[in-house]
Amino acid sequence: MSTPDSLVPSFDDDANEGRKLAIICSKGNLDMAYPGLILGNAALGEGVETHLFFTFWGFDMITKSRMADLKFTPVGNTATHMPMGLTPLPGMTGMATKQMRKSLEDLDIPPVPEFLDQIVAAGGHLWACRLSADMNKLTEADLYDDVEGIISASDFIELTQGAQLLFI
Amino acid sequence: MTVTTIDGREVHVDAEGFLTDPTEWDEALGAALARAIGVELTERHWEVLRFLRKDYEGQGETATTRRVQTVGGFPTKEQFALFPKKPAKKMAYVAGLPKPKGCV
């Protein structure tokens, strides 16, 4: 047995009791899908109750017909350090997307649908934005199966009472 | 380097209490580490722990929950059931390995 003097990590399971994280995913670019997924997954691994709300372009992340086909474009993104005049050339977005997918795969970062599977398995909650569904004329049948519901902005605010919030 | 006593044995640990020398670990110590954090080990826990030890030997770093799923074949949900709330850290601790470094 460990003695009272033993140095044992304090996992503080109860410290996170009641801690909640709400992540609003509003972007549909491949590169902007990952911050929310990675942080949400990390929070779940720390025992934090986590809710993701998909809205506007972020709706693509949970739309069955699009979620596996998000793209990355260097257009207007100075952080790619490419000459900006070249970025809108035909084929550039496809090439950049392919490259990014490969970089993610090399690090064993899952594609978006599989990442959502992992988040749900870890106990994460996924919510779809009502207005985005209405604008795109989509219903629950069009969305990733584990989305718990299409809810209004007020519903989301209500169910994430006391949560820390990230807008991405 | 800190030395602490677990199960009557002196082991080297970091500031948090994670073993710093994986060679000081054996299954008897693993059982004591699990008791120390309130995890009761079943045969399935041992399967996970043996995978972690073996993977660490080959990779030189601790498997993340993602890797425990994709390479080890233990579903995420089950990892959370076996090592509640913080599976990555608890699995590493009981296996006598450093905390995983990877983000996913």
Side-chain angles (χ1 to χ4, degrees):
Chain A
M1 281 302 285
S2 57
T3 64
D5 302 329
S6 298
L7 178 57
V8 172
S10 160
F11 288 106
D12 266 338
D13 283 350
D14 299 332
N16 279 335
E17 208 58 54
R19 185 177 170 193
K20 276 192 199 181
L21 178 64
I23 304 178
I24 298 176
C25 299
S26 72
K27 304 282 200 296
N29 310 61
L30 182 65
D31 52 324
M32 291 310 288
Y34 279 94
L37 297 173
I38 290 169
L39 289 165
N41 185 60
L44 289 160
E46 289 297 304
V48 178
E49 179 182 328
T50 302
H51 297 262
L52 289 95
F53 185 65
F54 299 90
T55 185
F56 273 84
W57 310 117
F59 220 69
D60 272 13
M61 291 170 67
I62 50 164
T63 303
K64 278 180 188 161
S65 59
R66 296 185 166 189
M67 61 196 300
D69 192 32
L70 303 186
K71 295 186 174 65
F72 166 61
T73 183
V75 176
N77 185 351
T78 56
T80 60
H81 297 276
M82 289 171 68
M84 280 298 110
L86 296 180
T87 58
L89 292 179
M92 200 60 90
T93 294
M95 207 163 75
T97 300
K98 210 171 153 193
Q99 184 57 44
M100 179 166 286
R101 279 191 204 286
K102 190 177 177 310
S103 307
L104 290 163
E105 200 185 320
D106 288 347
L107 292 170
D108 193 30
I109 309 292
V112 172
E114 202 183 314
F115 213 148
L116 290 174
D117 292 345
Q118 183 169 328
I119 284 173
V120 169
H125 302 278
L126 311 179
W127 304 98
C129 161
R130 161 64 50 202
L131 179 63
S132 307
D134 292 347
M135 281 173 69
N136 294 302
K137 298 188 173 47
L138 296 172
T139 67
E140 283 191 21
D142 301 303
L143 303 179
Y144 174 73
D145 288 340
D146 287 307
V147 170
E148 291 180 39
I150 300 177
I151 62 174
S152 71
S154 322
D155 294 337
F156 183 72
I157 295 297
E158 202 180 339
L159 77 88
T160 56
Q161 186 180 5
Q164 292 166 312
L165 190 136
L166 275 173
F167 181 86
I168 294 168
Chain B
M1 182 101 38
T2 312
V3 173
T4 192
T5 309
I6 303 277
D7 203 22
R9 287 159 61 174
E10 291 200 336
V11 289
H12 292 86
V13 293
D14 66 10
E16 281 181 87
F18 283 78
L19 259 66
T20 49
D21 180 358
T23 62
E24 291 179 341
W25 187 92
D26 58 24
E27 296 202 352
L29 185 69
L33 295 171
R35 278 196 299 275
I37 60 163
V39 171
E40 204 176 310
L41 297 177
T42 63
E43 190 44 42
R44 191 63 173 161
H45 287 88
W46 281 113
E47 286 174 28
V48 176
L49 296 171
R50 286 173 196 137
F51 165 73
L52 279 164
R53 292 290 305 187
K54 195 158 171 269
D55 191 65
Y56 183 85
E57 257 175 48
Q59 302 293 314
E61 56 181 283
T62 309
T64 59
T65 50
R66 162 99 185 135
R67 188 171 168 86
V68 174
Q69 180 190 272
T70 54
V71 181
F74 303 95
T76 303
K77 212 171 187 164
E78 191 180 8
Q79 295 178 46
F80 273 83
L82 294 170
F83 298 92
K85 306 246 177 165
K86 299 178 186 175
K89 286 184 183 168
K90 288 182 179 175
M91 292 188 296
Y93 177 68
V94 177
L97 302 172
K99 284 188 283 191
K101 291 195 184 77
C103 281
V104 178

